[in-house]
Amino acid sequence: MIRRPRLEDLLCSARLTAVVAPAGYGKTTLLTQTPTERPVVWHTCQESDRLLGPMADALASTWTRVPAISGDVDADQTARAQAIAGMLCDALPSDVVIVLDDVHVIESGDPAAKLLEALCLQLPPTARLVLSGRCQPPFSLRRLRFDDELVEITAAQLAFTEDEAAALLDEPGEVHRITGGWPIAVRLMAEAGAVDHPRPEPLFDYLADEVVGREPFSTRELLRTATAFDRFTAELLEELGHPSARTVLVDLVRRGLFVEQVRSAPGWFTLVPLAREFTADRLPMDEWERGEVHAVAARWFVERGEVARAVDSLAVLRNWPAITDLLADLLRTKGADALLAATAKVPHDARTPRVWQWEGVAHQVRGDWRLAANRFERAAAVDGLTAELAWRMAWIQHLRGGPEDALRICDSCPLTGADPVAESLLLSTAAGAHWALGDLKAAESTASEALERASGDDTALGMAHTVLAMIAAAHGRRDELTEHNDLALDHAQRAGDVLGLIRIRSNQASHLVEAGEHESALAEIEAMLPLADVTGFATYRAIGLHNRGEALLGLGRLDEAAADFHAAQKAFEKAGSWLAAAPLVYLGEVHRLRGDRALAGFALLEALRLASAKNTVPHLVLAHVRLANLYRHDDPERAREHAAKAVELGEGVGRVSALLAAARVGDAKDLCHEAYAVATRRGDRAGLAESLELLGQLENDRILLDQALTLWREVGDPLGEVRVRTAQAVLVGGAAGERLAVEAQHKAAGLGARLLAEAAAGAAETCRRASRPAVFIQTLGGFRVLRDGEPVPPTAWQSRKARDLVKILIARCGRPITREALGGLLWPDEEPERVANRLAVALSTARSVLRAGAGVVAEGDAVRLDPSLLPVDVVLFLADARAGLAAAHRKSSEALSLLTAAESAYHGDFLEEDPYEDWAVRLREEARLIYLQVVAVLAEHAERAGEFPLASRYCLRVLERDPYDENAHLTLVRVLAAAGSHGEARRCYQTYVTRMREIEVDPRPFTANRPRTA
């Protein structure tokens, strides 16, 4: 061996080392002989490593284990790669060196390429990644180059210098001239003793005459056989008629000729590329010989459990039935990717129903529901709809098409008892569909029958107990819920059913949220989400994110909850799943609590549309409840309609919420008492607290409010505490009441619950016997006019044009507009003479609503709104925000209070309900831009002060309005890691990478590993 310190010193000197050169330049030799005391993970890439699963297993080495299930083929491979990279980085030593040789087999579009890029970006700063191959690594290196995180070793650097060649040759000059320092050529010429008479003939001729030609016949025959395989063992070659294979291979490796050991797989060898090319060209096997070799090899591989390699040999033999027989073992041992790679080798005209079914199972495991359904339909077209095909197809429909579509498939398959396990799974799927449709009686009887037919199969038992747990939760039978959930978890673990485990933990988290046990729910989700992330089940990951959002909402962490609901809704929407209604319902509630009425309405009405289309009762009930709460003050009649519909539908799931919504809009104490009774029976502590809270308000009962406050504190819901404190402040009155209200206001503002902060501020004003402005206009998060603190109902405006007139005047920020221009904006297609009359009526209506036209100033032929006479929230926000930003620039102590007040006042974008009106665009964009600047400064201040949870909430608020803000993404990752939330920091980093890729920006490495720079 020739030591090459000039190159060895370059290796591992940066985050990524790329060794790029053609075959024969000594890349592998350099990597092998470079000494290191660091822990090393070494892998030589092959064709199968282009898939995510095999590459993840190789990188995991002995340090950890990656679940073998693959994720969504299109939607989730990048996210899964990021999740696996995070898991690997957490498991591997912080100073590990990861060496991947022959990385040129990985192409830029391959799933494995995404994993390598993610790993490179997420490695700790002390770890190193070395990629060696014949071409550049399969991902962009631009940012790594720019940040000095990359070292490149090229063919020119790998070529032997004359001094290095002198270690092999006494007179290297002529050899170096002929070979150009090509290491393998120099080494082979030295091996052949061609030092005195080097010849410039083509290298293959030289190898034939001087190198291979000098080897024994047995060695040449061994090389011929070895070309049939990408890697091989001595035992395999012995089985193929080379009894001295072990001795020959050891000798060739020792001499550095033709063969090298596969470092990542002890006992396996591979031909060096040049030897493979030469042997295939000069010592080829005919078709009969190749067939004989693969026939023996296939049997040998099967006997040793090397199923994937057996499939490769059987494909050469075109033995499709034998491949079909191996598919079950292949899925069990190597996962869905390997099975699909195997079925891809089988021509369509040679595929049996078994092949189509197994391919459908693999696509189902990967989350590609469309392809899975297609394959199952092909299998059913030949064999008919078996119970196994039916439950798989029904489950796909349950997640994608809706519960009614799932039931149609279930009902079309008669239960004959021929396959009791599959029939049990089919019945459990039908029971879940009945539950989603609100038919709890049918759900329970069907799930009980599924349990009876399970025949001791752990997967079937786990699924039946899962549905029975859901039914028990809907009935409020807590003991049964716990028992069924524990049994489901136990059976799923015994079956190794990762999908079942994810579903069970997700359901358990949902049950815990319903019981008000939000911290316990978060613990369940933290156990479930890594499985969903790494295995790549986009639909179940979305369910987990939704459930986590519910728990966070229950804890008053609105910004984090909103981020989870947004992510879940997008994932469901991308998958075409009806489940998108669920996060929209809760997103609407978050928007309402933050005072963004327009966005709340958009989200809730869309949720109602989706739930109505699929008749999913739980979502319908919640959507009506949330809409009733949203419209309670602005449109009481509409609120009553939604509340009545919620009560009509909510017999099981959502019953307490429906009753309370109806009680709230109708001041109905009897409904409060009924809600209290139902919540008591179900063990619903949050429902109990809300019932007591509303009863206390309706009856002006301080004792009931005290009881509600105690329960909200036990549940850990600060939003409930704020509401009760505000109600108590009104009852107490005076200075004591004012103090309570101010405390509630500050707490609500810190949580981002602007609606509650506003209510608390109103209570404080009442206690101070000071009224709000006679007229106050809100435009941030939706338009409304408040008179003496009460919203003007829609009927007071008589027409929408009068409202639009006021909006246009506000959007002009006090600048006058001529009557002609104003009329043109309001009635662009009308004749001028008609417009003048209509404008006069609209102005009169607006002045009436605004009480004698306060603030609407007529100056000749022009009209303007004077913000000094008529308070408008966007004007006040901009004043506070600009003053705060200026103070921050001066490093003034008053900056923080000004900026915090401005941030709290921003309920949403300016006139969100008018997204397409040109006259609103300029002010909307100006206010949004200034808001983002305000929040960025607040996030920076919170991070410097070590207030990491607050900093993360501010970052989430920025990202909600600008998902491509790189600084906000990286700050969020950094503060989450600083707060000890390392798993969540990884997940947020994955989101950052996805967003940057969408705008074709190379992401920065994982910032939690990097010191913060100015």
Side-chain angles (χ1 to χ4, degrees), residues 54 111 173 195 381-382 596 605 642 728 819 853 920:
V195 177
V382 178
D596 199 331
L605 289 171
H642 284 293
Q728 288 176 326
R819 291 174 181 266

Side-chain angles (χ1 to χ4, degrees), residues 16 87 92 112 225 243 248 370-371 408 410 432 436 541 651 659 752 808 824 852 979 1007 1014:
L16 172 64
M87 186 193 76
L92 293 169
T225 302
V248 172
R370 181 183 58 81
L371 283 179
R408 275 192 287 272
C410 293
R541 182 178 188 276
E651 289 300 324
L659 290 168
I808 292 170
T1007 53

Side-chain angles (χ1 to χ4, degrees), residues 666-803:
D667 292 339
K669 298 177 186 178
D670 58 329
L671 293 178
C672 277
H673 286 292
E674 185 180 347
Y676 181 85
V678 174
T680 302
R681 187 171 64 250
R682 294 169 55 90
D684 179 358
R685 293 192 300 163
L688 283 171
E690 194 173 353
S691 301
L692 290 169
E693 176 190 330
L694 187 52
L695 270 173
Q697 289 177 278
L698 293 176
E699 297 181 356
N700 293 325
D701 190 325
R702 296 185 188 181
I703 295 176
L704 290 178
L705 289 176
D706 286 340
Q707 292 173 347
L709 184 64
T710 299
L711 271 173
W712 283 130
R713 285 174 173 168
E714 288 178 2
V715 169
D717 187 340
L719 300 176
E721 286 188 54
V722 167
R723 290 196 307 270
V724 173
R725 280 300 197 190
T726 302
Q728 288 176 326
V730 173
L731 284 181
V732 171
E738 181 183 347
R739 283 194 299 273
L740 286 175
V742 169
E743 288 174 9
Q745 180 187 0
H746 289 162
K747 187 163 190 174
L751 295 168
R754 300 182 184 90
L755 182 75
L756 302 185
E758 184 179 282
E765 290 177 4
T766 299
C767 292
R768 284 194 299 265
R769 302 183 183 279
S771 64
R772 301 172 68 96
V775 178
F776 182 76
I777 300 181
Q778 294 179 330
T779 61
L780 296 172
F783 178 82
R784 68 177 177 176
V785 174
L786 303 178
R787 289 191 307 212
D788 297 325
E790 294 297 324
V792 173
T795 53
W797 289 94
Q798 299 179 27
S799 77
R800 181 178 174 180
K801 293 300 181 181
R803 284 165 56 96

Side-chain angles (χ1 to χ4, degrees), residues 856-906:
V856 178
V857 180
E859 299 172 329
D861 189 40
V863 181
R864 68 181 178 87
L865 187 140
D866 188 344
S868 65
L869 299 176
L870 182 60
V872 181
D873 60 353
V874 68
V875 176
L876 299 174
F877 160 75
L878 288 171
D880 280 349
R882 287 173 177 141
L885 290 171
H889 183 70
R890 300 192 307 269
K891 301 190 184 309
S892 170
S893 59
E894 65 179 348
L896 185 60
S897 61
L898 286 168
L899 292 173
T900 302
E903 199 282 327
S904 296
Y906 197 87

Side-chain angles (χ1 to χ4, degrees), residues 811-859:
R812 294 187 62 80
C813 299
R815 300 190 309 277
I817 181 173
T818 64
R819 291 174 181 266
E820 181 181 358
L822 185 57
L825 289 173
L826 290 169
W827 296 279
D829 301 320
E830 294 287 343
E831 295 295 328
E833 57 272 13
R834 296 185 64 187
V835 168
N837 291 332
R838 291 187 173 186
L839 180 60
V841 172
L843 273 169
S844 175
T845 301
R847 287 194 170 102
S848 173
V849 170
L850 299 177
R851 286 189 172 171
V856 178
V857 180
E859 299 172 329

Side-chain angles (χ1 to χ4, degrees), residues 941-971:
H941 179 273
E943 183 185 8
R944 281 200 307 267
E947 297 176 359
F948 302 126
L950 180 60
S952 68
R953 291 200 292 271
Y954 283 136
C955 290
L956 287 168
R957 292 174 198 177
V958 172
L959 294 173
E960 191 173 345
R961 285 181 164 78
D962 182 3
Y964 302 103
D965 189 309
E966 184 174 35
N967 184 60
H969 277 292
L970 294 175
T971 302

